[in-house]
Amino acid sequence: MVLNNCENRTEALLQFIEESPSVFHAVESIKKRLLSAGYAELFEAGEWELSSGGRYFVTRNDSSIAAFAIPEDNAQEGEKNSLANVKGFHIAAAHSDSPSFKIKENPEMKTDGQYVRLNTEKYGGMIMSTWLDRTLSVAGRVVCRQDGRLVSRLVNVDRDMLVIPNLAIHMNRDVNQGMEYNAQSDMLPLYGEAGGEKGFMETIAEAAGVEQEEILAHDLFLYVREKGRVIGGSGEFILSPRLDDLQCAFAAATAMIESTPKDYINICVVFDNEEIGSSTRQGADSTFLVDVMARIQEAFGKPDGWLRQKIADSFLISADNAHAIHPNHPEKADPVNRPVLNGGIVMKYHGSQRYATDALTAAEIKELCREADVPVQIYTNRSDIAGGLTLGNISVNHVSVPTADIGLPQLAMHSALETAGSRDTAYAVRMFKTFYDK
Ligand code: ZN
């Protein structure tokens, strides 16, 4: 029974990742699932009419999304919903973006009169070598002029199209001694032959279903074509692109859909731009989350100060994948706290609070996991390794709620293909459901 559940969750996760080759597609995939679960779409530029028991979502830049569910009210008939029984907010946050290469403006570059390469630049900090000799394609969005107005369209060139070829070992005998990769000279993908039939932007226009002349601007990214799959002697692991952080985004969104709020307003927010520092209009360092919370306050006619009071009894779980102990490099892990794949939720601590977890919020997570019957493991960096940054600390600058940083254990973070445990997604869904059902 439990195993079945894990298999289903893993299958659904891999399907979700496949449908999400770019950040815009990831948000679209979440949106699609929310709509079919009865969530209503709101727009930041529109009026919000909310009611008790209602379920809603709103996007920003088509690359961040916040879903929320209001508990049923005990207001009498004819009485305005008072949110009287609402204690605060239960918030889960994850991120929609992954490291990739962004297509620059005027992307085609002729080389040697023979080849056409695409001019790209880094988006986030990927392990560059893992993008070599792989089948790649392009996804993202284009903004077009159609019938006198500007329209944004999703694009996915859904076929094997590009490769970034390695240099032969005969031309670089030292390649296995370590290689420094230059993003401008080593990492440009090969698109086709010079004088080929179809230009790159023509291919994009065709995939978007528009005329090439209609395209005014684009946000396009490379993605690897490999589908995520289950691997290991007994199917213990998954190997997939973009597990950081679509695994957590999927788990939080799934739990949101499958749960019913009681004393807290539930929010599931998936931010863009974590991989480049979060300081965009739609990143964790924006007003997106607090704006959504303020709009809820306004829609229910609550006075100023209501939100501040409720924030004091709220909780945020910042969910971003974590490092499992590496089979070939166990020495890189902390000597004591050594998370493993399939070991369950990883709670992250950092002495200088690069992770928001403290004793109070850690205890809450441990209690939550005990209730959900989900194992918890601990991550701390080795004291001589700096480690990464994530959402929790940044989001707290705008919405100062008690926060814990957690994640699911994985290997090869920021590789084009990452490895995780095939049982951990189900653990995360269960933990988030218990959180949201409170
Ligand atoms: Zn991440």
Side-chain angles (χ1 to χ4, degrees):
M1 207 47 197
V2 172
L3 189 65
N4 259 336
N5 195 347
C6 293
E7 281 169 3
N8 292 343
R9 294 300 191 198
T10 294
E11 211 175 287
L13 166 71
L14 297 181
Q15 176 68 36
F16 170 71
I17 292 175
E18 194 186 332
E19 287 172 30
S20 309
S22 80
V23 72
F24 306 104
H25 291 81
V27 164
E28 184 67 19
S29 308
I30 295 171
K31 200 169 144 175
K32 205 177 82 186
R33 284 161 174 77
L34 290 168
L35 283 170
S36 59
Y39 278 71
E41 180 162 16
L42 302 168
F43 299 90
E44 286 196 286
E47 297 286 330
W48 286 18
E49 262 184 43
L50 310 180
S51 58
S52 61
R55 293 160 173 254
Y56 310 91
F57 70 89
V58 58
T59 63
R60 186 178 280 186
N61 189 46
D62 297 323
S63 63
S64 291
I65 187 163
F68 59 93
I70 313 284
E72 291 290 352
D73 199 12
N74 48 13
Q76 302 300 309
E77 220 184 293
E79 222 172 81
K80 177 132 176 85
N81 184 327
S82 59
L83 295 185
N85 54 338
V86 166
K87 292 182 179 160
F89 294 83
H90 274 175
I91 310 162
H95 68 89
S96 52
D97 62 325
S98 304
S100 174
F101 292 89
K102 187 169 192 210
I103 310 276
K104 290 193 200 172
E105 296 301 302
N106 305 308
E108 286 195 25
M109 284 173 73
K110 281 210 178 77
T111 309
D112 236 33
Q114 287 301 314
Y115 298 123
V116 177
R117 293 180 299 164
L118 299 179
N119 195 13
T120 60
E121 59 189 320
K122 286 168 69 182
Y123 174 89
M126 75 290 288
I127 304 175
M128 286 206 260
S129 62
T130 62
W131 285 75
L132 297 166
D133 301 330
R134 267 185 209 292
T135 322
L136 306 173
S137 196
V138 173
R141 71 171 171 196
V142 290
V143 179
C144 308
R145 188 197 305 110
Q146 285 183 324
D147 304 325
R149 58 194 197 98
L150 300 184
V151 191
S152 173
R153 279 181 182 273
L154 285 176
V155 192
N156 176 13
V157 182
D158 191 9
R159 63 185 168 86
D160 302 339
M161 183 166 74
L162 306 169
V163 66
I164 309 172
N166 248 305
L167 187 61
I169 194 164
H170 315 80
M171 294 172 180
N172 180 13
R173 293 280 179 194
D174 296 331
V175 62
N176 293 326
Q177 272 68 64
M179 167 94 184
E180 207 175 295
Y181 292 96
N182 178 310
Q184 187 64 68
S185 52
D186 295 313
M187 300 308 296
L188 303 188
L190 177 62
Y191 170 69
E193 294 173 333
E197 247 170 60
K198 206 177 282 177
F200 176 68
M201 286 313 294
E202 198 182 337
T203 299
I204 293 299
E206 201 177 278
V210 299
E211 298 298 324
Q212 194 180 330
E213 312 74 64
E214 292 176 323
I215 298 178
L216 297 179
H218 53 78
D219 291 314
L220 298 170
F221 298 86
L222 302 187
Y223 73 93
V224 298
R225 292 282 295 165
E226 268 104 327
K227 293 187 195 336
R229 58 201 78 189
V230 176
I231 61 166
S234 310
E236 300 95 325
F237 310 123
I238 49 177
L239 177 68
S240 169
R242 302 182 294 283
L243 286 172
D244 171 17
D245 188 33
L246 292 186
Q247 194 179 14
C248 286
F250 169 83
T254 303
M256 181 80 192
I257 285 168
E258 294 180 7
S259 59
T260 307
K262 290 193 184 68
D263 298 333
Y264 292 85
I265 295 172
N266 288 338
I267 302 183
C268 171
V269 59
V270 181
F271 291 111
D272 190 7
N273 302 129
E274 192 276 341
E275 299 296 355
I276 54 165
S278 295
S279 48
T280 56
R281 186 172 74 88
Q282 60 280 352
D285 201 1
S286 74
T287 57
F288 184 42
L289 175 58
V290 75
D291 287 347
V292 169
M293 294 165 80
R295 294 290 296 265
I296 296 172
Q297 169 182 268
E298 285 161 20
F300 284 100
K302 304 307 276 185
D304 259 7
W306 178 87
L307 185 58
R308 282 194 288 276
Q309 186 193 344
K310 295 303 160 190
I311 280 176
D313 186 10
S314 294
F315 199 85
L316 190 151
I317 303 180
S318 157
D320 194 2
N321 269 5
H323 305 295
I325 182 169
H326 195 285
N328 295 341
H329 290 284
E331 76 284 0
K332 294 288 184 187
D334 179 75
V336 176
N337 299 297
R338 302 164 81 81
V340 293
L341 301 179
N342 291 317
I345 305 297
V346 180
M347 192 155 53
K348 310 181 204 177
Y349 289 85
H350 189 269
S352 303
Q353 294 297 128
R354 285 167 75 94
Y355 299 131
T357 317
D358 60 22
L360 291 175
T361 58
E364 293 275 2
I365 293 287
K366 283 186 177 171
E367 284 295 283
L368 181 65
C369 288
R370 190 180 51 77
E371 216 176 301
D373 193 21
V374 163
V376 198
Q377 21 185 14
I378 305 294
Y379 178 84
T380 60
N381 294 314
R382 267 185 69 108
S383 306
D384 51 3
I385 292 180
L389 197 62
T390 180
L391 301 160
N393 246 359
I394 294 170
S395 176
V396 153
N397 291 328
H398 300 272
V399 189
S400 305
V401 304
T403 299
D405 271 298
I406 64 127
L408 291 173
Q410 70 159 93
L411 301 171
M413 190 176 286
H414 293 192
S415 172
L417 289 176
E418 301 169 324
T419 297
S422 56
R423 300 196 294 277
D424 287 323
T425 309
Y427 286 140
V429 175
R430 218 155 76 204
M431 184 206 67
F432 282 124
K433 271 181 78 169
T434 307
F435 176 57
Y436 281 145
D437 275 332
K438 261 182 192 294

